[in-house]
Amino acid sequence: MSSLPNQQQRVLSGMRPTGALHLGHYHGVLKNWVKLQHEYECYFFVADWHALTTHYEEVEILEQSVWDMVIDWLAVGVNPGSATLFIQSQVPEHAELHLLLSMITPLGWLERVPSYKDQQEKLRERDLATYGFLGYPLLQSADILIYKAGQVPVGEDQVAHVEMTREVARRFNHLYGREAGFEEKVEAAIKKIGKKNAKLYKELRRKFQEEGDDEALETARALLENQQNITLGDKERLFGYLEGSGRIILPEPDALLTPASKMPGLDGQKMSKSYGNTIALREDPAKISEKLRKMPTDPARVRRNDPGDPEKCPVWKLHQVYSSEEIRTWVQEGCRSAAIGCLDCKGPLIDAVLGELAPIQERAREYEQDLGLVRNIMNEGRDKARDVARQTLTEVRQVMGLEYH
Ligand code: TRP
Ligand code: SF4
């Protein structure tokens, strides 16, 4: 559990630069980011170092992939005014935290992450017996912890990485949150928040520790959050004292599970570049229409008069994403009675997909024509991210004995 109330929690997520994005990314991840950016303080970054953990031999396309992806983020409405957008390798503090965390991370934790063996199996053609590949979940932990993020939107396949991040944070706090004279410092800090608050704080702490009252914990955290008169260090001590007997320097994040994308590909399987069944966000509308017209349908409909079954047709899956109740009834009845042909059936879908993409493509063109603007946006994000990252790193260096006077 993170030590901040909900609205004040930071959200952080990263995406590997895979180049131009498709409708699967849009319906699965990006729409969610666009929503989250209004609800939380959000940090979204391009995980370019993560790309190198598997694609270290293909560096020629990295830069273009990064800009293509960022243009798509911006085009769908990820807003640099609401969220901080940056490129991971431009905030080298992530690497320093990764190194420092590596000192305390048991090898077994990394070897046990399910994606380690899975990916090695899947990407057989690459040599992934590297140090960087083994360490990549810990790099992800550093990405998260350096912003003290409370919520991490990820897909199912990444939940284990957030879990490991919690373990790393717990171990870190356990090792370095124990300072000499902690209890005395807590007593002194409690005095600084005023008599009434102090009494309330102690009572809430007792309720949480003795009765397991989670609400009391939340209330106590909110109380601390509102204190203006104490230092950040004292605040952390009081947060830590609520739950245990040490400071919480790196709060444990929660995974914010992104529901699996319902977006099917052109063949009915999950939309994915590796299946070659995608519609890219910036694909030419004529090409998109053609792809949709050529989509396979229920094989029982050989001739126009043969009735079909939408349940056996990938086109129906797209109707479930895009079409109104009314159109879906029309499809169901028309298909089963052979009253409509498959091209008729695809008509409203083609309109819906093109209608959804038109404003996105329009905005993308503006950014394509002004790459200087895109670069500026990412530079500004980098500066903001670095400010936060540096603060965390200062604390981490301090407690790890790396502060030299
Ligand atoms: N590992 C993630 C992926 O492959 C990307 C990523 C890197 C990430 N760092 C992160 C996601 C931090 C969430 C938080 O998709
Ligand atoms: Fe599929 Fe529509 Fe043709 Fe039925 S009518 S088989 S749902 S494309």
Side-chain angles (χ1 to χ4, degrees):
M1 216 184 288
S2 159
S3 41
L4 288 177
N6 245 356
Q7 323 72 282
Q8 291 172 31
Q9 285 189 24
R10 286 199 185 115
V11 160
L12 171 123
S13 201
M15 206 188 274
R16 288 171 181 246
T18 48
L21 302 180
H22 54 66
L23 281 173
H25 296 114
Y26 179 54
H27 286 273
V29 179
L30 295 175
K31 265 167 57 184
N32 191 38
W33 284 13
V34 170
K35 178 165 96 40
L36 289 169
Q37 71 187 353
H38 301 298
E39 299 167 357
Y40 296 91
E41 181 189 349
C42 287
Y43 290 77
F44 299 127
F45 72 97
V46 178
D48 57 347
W49 279 334
H50 286 266
L52 287 178
T53 63
T54 49
H55 291 60
Y56 53 85
E57 286 181 307
E58 287 148 54
V59 296
E60 315 75 34
I61 55 159
L62 188 59
E63 183 180 10
Q64 192 55 45
S65 302
V66 169
W67 297 127
D68 276 341
M69 185 167 86
V70 169
I71 287 175
D72 284 341
W73 287 3
L74 296 169
V76 300
V78 177
N79 180 353
S82 314
T84 303
L85 311 180
F86 64 96
I87 299 170
Q88 182 185 34
S89 67
Q90 299 197 334
V91 185
E93 285 75 11
H94 291 221
E96 186 174 338
L97 184 60
H98 177 208
L99 175 90
L100 293 174
L101 294 178
S102 78
M103 307 301 172
I104 65 161
T105 305
L107 258 185
W109 290 9
L110 291 165
E111 289 162 344
R112 248 191 286 125
V113 171
S115 61
Y116 181 56
K117 293 251 151 54
D118 286 0
Q119 290 290 99
Q120 278 188 337
E121 290 282 311
K122 245 205 214 147
L123 303 175
R124 270 276 166 79
E125 72 283 3
R126 297 173 201 281
D127 178 4
L128 292 184
T130 58
Y131 181 50
F133 183 69
L134 175 68
Y136 121 79
L138 189 64
L139 177 58
Q140 185 163 355
S141 299
D143 298 335
I144 297 168
L145 296 174
I146 204 153
Y147 300 101
K148 304 191 179 189
Q151 303 283 334
V152 184
V154 285
E156 186 73 52
D157 61 319
Q158 300 280 316
V159 172
H161 299 168
V162 181
E163 274 306 312
M164 195 195 81
T165 303
R166 294 170 62 90
E167 286 175 37
V168 170
R170 209 172 305 144
R171 182 161 163 82
F172 185 93
N173 295 327
H174 176 73
L175 287 168
Y176 306 116
R178 294 165 180 273
E179 46 180 353
F182 178 73
E183 306 274 332
E184 290 74 21
K185 284 181 179 163
V186 165
E187 283 305 323
I190 291 179
K191 287 215 177 86
K192 290 186 199 142
I193 62 176
K195 260 204 176 123
K196 230 175 85 198
N197 284 334
K199 196 170 158 217
L200 186 56
Y201 171 85
K202 286 184 184 163
E203 178 55 19
L204 291 166
R205 175 175 185 265
R206 191 198 58 74
K207 273 197 177 151
F208 172 68
Q209 297 214 333
E210 289 174 17
E211 299 162 27
D213 184 341
D214 288 329
E215 217 165 286
L217 179 64
E218 283 306 315
T219 313
R221 283 173 174 165
L223 173 78
L224 290 179
E225 210 32 60
N226 291 327
Q227 297 307 313
Q228 315 288 336
N229 296 333
I230 53 174
T231 62
L232 194 64
D234 273 345
K235 226 179 233 189
E236 279 166 357
R237 284 179 192 102
L238 292 182
F239 274 127
Y241 187 61
L242 275 177
E243 287 174 82
S245 58
R247 274 174 73 189
I248 292 176
I249 301 149
L250 301 176
E252 294 177 33
D254 285 320
L256 192 61
L257 190 64
T258 311
S261 166
K262 285 194 233 32
M263 187 68 205
L266 291 163
D267 54 1
Q269 297 186 79
K270 175 183 147 82
M271 186 176 279
S272 160
K273 216 169 167 183
S274 53
Y275 297 146
N277 62 0
T278 62
I279 293 175
L281 297 179
R282 278 185 275 160
E283 204 157 321
D284 171 38
K287 184 84 188 128
I288 296 175
S289 306
E290 188 193 322
K291 279 184 169 178
L292 289 167
R293 280 197 307 268
K294 284 193 179 149
M295 255 184 93
T297 61
D298 177 0
R301 297 207 69 182
V302 183
R303 277 171 298 260
R304 168 69 176 77
N305 299 339
D306 296 329
D309 178 359
E311 298 306 325
K312 296 181 181 146
C313 177
V315 176
W316 170 242
K317 290 193 188 164
L318 279 176
H319 276 294
Q320 286 172 305
V321 175
Y322 283 98
S323 300
S324 63
E325 192 57 47
E326 198 185 339
I327 292 180
R328 286 190 289 192
T329 309
W330 170 78
V331 171
Q332 284 287 345
E333 291 172 357
C335 178
R336 292 176 196 280
S337 63
I340 60 171
C342 289
L343 270 181
D344 303 326
C345 179
K346 290 171 175 176
L349 259 184
I350 296 175
D351 292 345
V353 172
L354 295 182
E356 173 175 69
L357 290 180
I360 293 176
Q361 298 198 343
E362 173 75 40
R363 272 196 298 268
R365 264 191 296 277
E366 285 166 26
Y367 290 111
E368 282 166 2
Q369 281 158 18
D370 194 354
L371 288 175
L373 173 62
V374 179
R375 240 173 273 123
N376 282 342
I377 289 171
M378 298 315 275
N379 287 345
E380 237 173 71
R382 170 201 63 202
D383 293 344
K384 277 198 233 158
R386 270 197 106 167
D387 279 345
V388 179
R390 281 205 183 106
Q391 279 181 26
T392 306
L393 208 48
T394 301
E395 289 177 65
V396 168
R397 283 198 194 127
Q398 220 169 50
V399 299
M400 288 186 83
L402 299 170
E403 202 184 31
Y404 300 98
H405 300 282

